[in-house]
Amino acid sequence: MSLKARLFSREVLPFYLALGALAVVTVLCDALLHYFNLVWIGRYLGIPGVLLILGSFGYSLRKRKLISAGRPVQLLRWHEGMAWAGSLLVLVHAGIHFNAILGWLAVLAVLAMLVNVASGLTGKFLLDRARRRLEEARQRMRQQGLTAAELEDSTYWDSLTFDAVKQWRAVHFPITLAFGVLTLAHIVAVFLFWGWK
């Protein structure tokens, strides 16, 4: 298999499949709720969706050493799964009543969430790819017998690139914060203006 084919199948395809699956499952769930005349359930799916997304922050807390429980690798998998499932529920929730009085806050929150999911998936696949490429290059050079200094010189630009890719979190975090603020504004607006009937 050529390098381009491997790159596509290992990096590009999983990214688009994860986003595509989110879109397809959202549309399917929304269609099923409409088909079975259970649209009212969608109003309440935002609550477990937000709780799943909040639960996914366990990884971020562990990574920043704010908590010590859990293995980071396992927490990362939970972060990815819970954020995906929570996003699905929030999207179904938003799809049910985009045209409601509170719709403009929902639209902004959903847009921020979609950008957040895309940036999270981008970071996951780009960072993993950059880490693997750098380590493969280092291993090849070690096998060629390069000294530590020569190895450092030879991988200088790759190391800088890897460090730059790691900075995707500088984009992911503010988007997460924007999503959180917009979600909170939507929730407050619901409590203020919705009749809860």
Side-chain angles (χ1 to χ4, degrees):
M1 181 182 283
S2 72
L3 180 61
K4 284 184 181 179
R6 272 197 339 237
L7 180 63
F8 180 78
S9 65
R10 286 173 46 184
E11 310 300 335
V12 177
L13 190 60
F15 170 76
Y16 285 112
L17 285 176
L19 277 180
L22 184 61
V24 168
V25 174
T26 298
V27 169
L28 181 63
C29 289
D30 192 48
L32 287 172
L33 287 176
H34 279 86
Y35 181 78
F36 290 109
N37 201 23
L38 298 172
V39 173
W40 62 271
I41 292 174
R43 286 185 177 166
Y44 302 98
L45 290 180
I47 296 167
V50 168
L51 292 175
L52 279 169
I53 291 169
L54 287 174
S56 77
F57 284 109
Y59 168 71
S60 299
L61 295 174
R62 176 68 168 96
K63 187 175 69 175
R64 288 169 178 78
K65 299 182 182 3
L66 296 173
I67 61 171
S68 59
R71 292 181 19 239
V73 172
Q74 183 61 42
L75 289 174
L76 176 60
R77 299 295 169 247
W78 287 357
H79 171 76
E80 293 165 355
M82 291 172 77
W84 190 92
S87 298
L88 169 68
L89 293 177
V90 169
L91 285 170
V92 173
H93 165 76
I96 298 296
H97 55 85
F98 259 142
N99 298 321
I101 295 169
L102 304 173
W104 65 274
L105 276 175
V107 169
L108 291 175
V110 167
L111 288 175
M113 183 189 67
L114 288 173
V115 172
N116 194 34
V117 168
S119 74
L121 288 171
T122 299
K124 172 187 173 181
F125 290 110
L126 282 180
L127 191 58
D128 188 47
R129 177 179 175 217
R131 182 182 298 118
R132 274 195 314 239
R133 278 190 77 154
L134 185 58
E135 190 51 41
E136 287 170 2
R138 285 179 177 155
Q139 284 183 354
R140 276 194 314 271
M141 290 177 201
R142 281 186 199 112
Q143 291 171 352
Q144 293 171 355
L146 271 70
T147 66
E150 291 171 326
L151 183 66
E152 188 176 325
D153 287 343
S154 296
T155 59
Y156 175 75
W157 291 108
D158 286 340
S159 295
L160 283 180
T161 303
F162 178 68
D163 290 341
V165 170
K166 285 194 330 189
Q167 298 306 313
W168 73 271
R169 288 182 185 100
V171 172
H172 188 61
F173 181 75
I175 294 169
T176 302
L177 184 61
F179 168 61
V181 168
L182 290 167
T183 300
L184 185 61
H186 175 68
I187 291 168
V188 168
V190 165
F191 279 110
L192 291 175
F193 301 114
W194 193 28
W196 289 94
K197 294 176 185 176

